[in-house]
């Protein structure tokens, strides 16, 4: 098959488009023909070596895949070739202490499609059959590929971990990102009011259209000051944070007492300081979260089908132009998800 892969770490120029080993479905696995694969920030970390692929190089990125069943391994029931599917990107063992507690995203043998295994920047990809979720006919492959990582992570963060309720206020960092564009919509669906940040003025209208009431350009404005102004000095109940560094630190200053900072990524840097006086004196909660459950993914697809949530797609590139697609994300030009299509 053809795939876009890399043999050494670096920038988008390290991505090659060429022949690659065909995936073969072992017992309990399926091979999926990729009809759409979404790019993610984690792809950039894998590519530049900040999160080296555990199985080594060469490696195929791509954790958000929609496609059709190509073949099934021994013992796979209920899935037939040609069936439209989305792949749930998290792998777990089902047997460790955390899996037994129902907390599969913190499985001690946890892995991601496109990180711990080859992913969807390819014509074919394989996954455990238990990770496969049917994609409704009424949803496009493009929409399907925009849901299973970024949108699911935001859903789990806002709904399950932060428990956002009507009347609350939420600060979402980086409206232009996949998680940001999803978190704004989901917080609104929960009945909250939303303030968000963007890195350029041309993204302000985009963020408003998603439901943000107030949009801050973090390059020209101080988001803590703006959040305080917007909430009449009170601060917000919840911050959805995925940047790291100073943004992580300053996000705690934007919280009100008893507020919750949800950490769902570290796209700029893995490190962040905290002024602990704020944490204990205001009784803040700092909550880490990753991905969500297959049950939540199914619920999300229902909301998308109903039109109550909208996967935000910036643009699609052909698979052979994966290098340009990655550079587009690295340049932060995207408003929402960037896709690769066969
Ligand atoms: Zn486990």
């Amino acid at each position: 098959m053809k795939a876009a892969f890399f043999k050494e770490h670096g920038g988008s120029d390290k991505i090659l488009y060429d022949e690659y080993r065909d995936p073969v479905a072992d017992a309990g696995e399926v091979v999926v023909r990729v009809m759409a694969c979404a790019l993610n920030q984690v792809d950039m970390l894998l590519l530049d070596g900040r999160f080296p692929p555990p199985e080594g190089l060469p490696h195929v990125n791509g954790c958000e895949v929609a496609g059709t069943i190509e073949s099934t391994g021994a013992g796979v029931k209920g899935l037939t070739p040609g069936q439209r599917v989305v792949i749930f990107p998290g792998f777990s063992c089902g047997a460790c202490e955390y899996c037994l507690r129902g907390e599969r995203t913190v499985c001690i043998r946890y892995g991601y499609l496109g990180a711990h295994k080859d992913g969807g920047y390819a014509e074919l990809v394989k996954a455990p059959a238990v990770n496969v979720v049917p994609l409704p006919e009424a949803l496009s492959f493009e929409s399907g590929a925009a849901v299973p990582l970024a949108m699911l992570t935001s859903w789990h963060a806002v709904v399950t971990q932060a428990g956002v309720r009507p009347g609350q206020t939420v600060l979402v960092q980086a409206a232009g990102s996949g998680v940001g564009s999803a978190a704004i919509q989901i917080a609104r669906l929960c009945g909250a009011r939303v303030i968000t940040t963007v890195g350029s003025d041309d993204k302000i209208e985009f963020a408003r259209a998603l439901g943000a009431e107030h949009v801050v350009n973090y390059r020209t404005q101080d988001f803590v000051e703006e959040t305080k102004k917007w909430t009449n000095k009170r601060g917000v109940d919840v911050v959805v944070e995925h940047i790291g560094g100073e943004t992580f630190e300053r996000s705690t200053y934007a919280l009100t007492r008893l507020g919750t900072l949800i950490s769902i990524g570290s796209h700029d840097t893995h490190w962040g300081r905290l002024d602990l006086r704020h944490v204990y004196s205001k009784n803040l909660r700092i909550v880490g979260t990753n991905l969500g459950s297959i049950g939540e993914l199914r619920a999300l697809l229902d909301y998308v089908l109903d039109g109550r949530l909208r996967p935000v797609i910036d643009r699609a590139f052909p698979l052979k132009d994966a290098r340009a697609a990655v550079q587009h994300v690295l340049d932060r030009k995207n408003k929402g998800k960037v896709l690769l299509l066969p």
Side-chain angles (χ1 to χ4, degrees), residues 115-328:
H116 299 78
K117 301 284 177 193
D118 281 339
Y121 289 19
E123 291 176 320
L124 300 168
V125 65
K126 77 169 178 174
V130 293
N131 283 54
V132 167
V133 175
L135 176 67
E137 284 292 335
L139 288 184
S140 65
F141 290 113
E142 287 87 341
S143 293
V147 172
L149 193 114
M151 203 169 216
L152 178 58
T153 303
S154 291
W155 176 277
H156 191 68
V158 171
V159 177
T160 312
Q161 297 281 35
V164 170
R165 302 184 298 279
Q168 289 192 316
T169 45
V170 178
L171 165 62
V172 175
Q173 296 290 2
S177 64
V179 285
S181 59
I184 291 169
Q185 296 182 64
I186 295 163
R188 292 275 302 182
L189 195 66
C190 294
R193 292 167 58 212
V194 176
I195 178 171
T196 191
T197 62
V198 293
S200 58
D201 285 346
D202 69 321
K203 292 183 179 175
I204 291 175
E205 267 318 302
F206 166 81
R208 286 224 173 91
L210 292 171
E213 191 175 301
H214 191 60
V215 185
V216 181
N217 184 336
Y218 62 80
R219 294 187 200 276
T220 56
Q221 293 172 292
D222 182 320
F223 75 81
V224 177
E225 265 178 41
E226 289 297 315
T227 302
K228 287 286 167 74
K229 254 192 255 170
W230 183 65
T231 54
N232 212 3
K233 296 186 187 163
R234 175 185 181 268
V236 289
D237 297 290
V238 174
V239 181
V240 178
E241 210 297 290
H242 49 106
I243 311 298
E246 202 175 293
T247 307
F248 174 83
E249 179 182 358
R250 294 179 52 70
S251 287
T252 59
Y253 306 148
L255 282 171
T256 187
R257 288 162 174 75
L258 303 171
T260 303
L261 184 133
I262 298 274
S263 169
I264 61 175
S266 51
H267 300 155
D268 269 4
T269 166
H270 296 327
W271 310 104
R273 299 191 317 171
L274 282 180
D275 182 338
L276 297 173
R277 293 170 298 181
H278 279 265
V279 178
Y280 59 72
S281 65
K282 291 187 192 164
N283 286 213
L284 302 183
R285 293 196 309 145
I286 312 292
V287 179
T289 185
N290 65 325
L291 208 60
S293 68
I294 293 180
E296 287 171 310
L297 175 56
R298 285 173 178 268
L300 249 183
L301 287 169
D302 285 344
Y303 274 95
V304 173
L305 195 58
D306 276 358
R308 299 176 75 190
L309 288 174
R310 183 170 59 91
V312 183
I313 294 160
D314 175 71
R315 61 182 282 195
F317 291 77
L319 174 61
K320 68 177 172 53
D321 296 336
R323 189 180 281 187
V326 166
Q327 194 56 49
H328 185 68

